């Protein structure tokens, strides 16, 4: 289990996260919902060690991730798909995937299993990543993360700017990973993209976890979404 407990994070003197806490279990999808600037992306960066909490802990199966240097965090089994994809645009699809495999020393079997989830990437293996469509780049970013064979997958706005067919592909992949026992923490603004796959939703407001509810509660009472993020669903 990934456990984020009472973390406080700052950018300079500005506090962004305030005693933020949440947890996610194997085979569970937790969505972080909140307005822009609520601290959702910062929470993911804190898990990855890209921002160091001044206090609080982040643990995965009892291992204190806050004690690790950022490049060691993926070796513990956490993969991160950042907003904006962050691919190596000059490299081919295959070369980007090789970088993912190197993080935890995975090989051909892992690569083949990942490509089975995104067959179009198999066709594009020798293509320069920067020439892919936006949806294909998102698939590649997710596939590169999966080459780590992660226990936990962090995804920041994975459906942003994508066509409905691409959103469905990303959602189906997330559902398959959940069925394999991967824990997923998903930051999304599109509530309609989240509800079909999330198990629980944590509402983040001003750097705090205001409430965590089963997704069925949102279906039964959509006003919860308006209360915390100010939009209908």
């Amino acid at each position: 289990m990934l456990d984020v407990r009472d973390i406080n994070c700052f950018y300079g003197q500005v506090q962004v996260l305030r005693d933020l806490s949440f947890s996610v279990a194997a085979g569970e999808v937790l969505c972080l919902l909140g307005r822009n600037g609520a601290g959702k992306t910062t929470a993911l960066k804190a898990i990855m060690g890209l921002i160091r909490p001044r206090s609080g802990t982040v643990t995965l199966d009892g291992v204190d991730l806050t004690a690790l240097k950022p490049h060691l965090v993926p070796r513990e089994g956490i993969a991160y798909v950042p907003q904006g994809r962050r691919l190596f645009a000059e490299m081919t699809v295959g070369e980007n995937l090789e970088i993912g495999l190197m993080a935890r020393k995975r090989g051909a079997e892992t690569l083949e299993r990942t490509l089975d989830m995104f067959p179009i990437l198999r066709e594009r293996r020798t293509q320069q990543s920067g020439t892919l469509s936006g949806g294909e780049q998102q698939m590649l970013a997710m596939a590169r993360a999966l080459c780590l064979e992660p226990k936990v997958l962090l995804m920041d706005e994975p459906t942003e700017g994508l066509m409905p067919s691409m959103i469905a592909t990303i959602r189906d992949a997330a559902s398959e990973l959940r069925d394999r026992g991967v824990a997923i923490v998903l930051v999304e603004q599109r509530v309609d993209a989240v509800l079909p796959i999330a198990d629980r939703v944590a509402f983040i407001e001003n750097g705090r976890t205001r409430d965590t509810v089963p997704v069925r509660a949102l279906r039964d009472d959509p006003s919860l979404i308006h209360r915390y993020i100010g939009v209908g669903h």
Side-chain angles (χ1 to χ4, degrees), residues 9-229:
C9 290
F10 293 72
Y11 291 117
Q13 298 302 312
V14 178
Q15 187 168 4
V16 180
L17 301 182
R18 297 172 173 84
D19 295 325
L20 183 77
S21 297
F22 60 82
S23 62
V24 59
E28 181 183 33
V29 178
L30 174 71
C31 178
L32 306 185
L33 277 181
R35 294 182 176 90
N36 286 335
K40 306 181 299 297
T41 294
T42 302
L44 300 189
K45 290 181 176 179
I47 293 169
M48 294 304 299
L50 301 174
I51 295 173
R52 186 71 63 188
R54 290 195 189 175
S55 61
T57 59
V58 179
T59 58
L60 176 60
D61 295 336
V63 176
D64 184 0
L65 302 181
T66 55
L68 301 178
K69 294 182 178 180
H71 72 278
L72 297 177
V73 173
R75 297 184 191 178
E76 295 298 325
I78 299 189
Y80 180 34
V81 183
Q83 187 177 19
R85 294 137 199 168
R86 309 277 176 85
L87 298 171
F88 295 99
E90 301 300 318
M91 293 185 177
T92 66
V93 168
E95 288 167 340
N96 270 273
L97 295 175
E98 286 293 331
I99 290 171
L101 293 170
M102 289 166 55
R104 296 185 78 200
K105 296 181 171 59
R106 297 308 193 247
E109 184 177 339
T110 299
L111 178 60
E112 289 304 308
R113 187 161 53 244
T114 300
L115 289 173
D116 285 344
M117 293 183 69
F118 301 105
I120 196 167
L121 296 182
R122 194 186 299 277
E123 302 171 17
R124 304 273 198 271
R125 283 179 72 168
T126 59
Q127 186 171 330
Q128 197 174 43
S129 299
T131 65
L132 298 175
S133 71
E136 291 166 348
Q137 288 186 22
Q138 186 63 56
M139 287 184 196
L140 178 55
M142 191 170 179
R144 183 177 63 184
L146 297 185
C147 283
L148 276 72
E149 289 190 356
K151 300 177 186 177
V152 180
L153 178 63
L154 311 178
M155 302 178 69
D156 194 354
E157 302 278 6
T159 68
E160 184 179 41
L162 300 188
M163 297 183 302
S165 61
M166 289 295 184
I167 291 172
T169 299
I170 298 297
R171 190 166 58 206
D172 290 346
S175 295
E176 182 176 336
L177 291 169
R178 178 181 60 189
D179 293 343
R180 290 186 194 174
V182 176
I184 299 175
V185 180
L186 176 64
V187 166
E188 255 299 357
Q189 294 283 24
R190 293 172 50 90
V191 178
D192 59 326
V194 168
L195 293 183
I197 62 167
D199 297 296
R200 291 184 299 134
V201 172
F203 289 102
I204 311 299
E205 188 176 59
N206 297 324
R208 300 180 187 273
T209 309
R210 290 299 185 186
D211 201 2
T212 302
V213 300
V215 75
R216 64 178 177 272
L218 297 188
R219 295 194 184 103
D220 295 341
D221 184 8
S223 69
L224 285 170
I225 298 169
H226 183 78
R227 184 186 311 166
Y228 288 106
I229 62 175

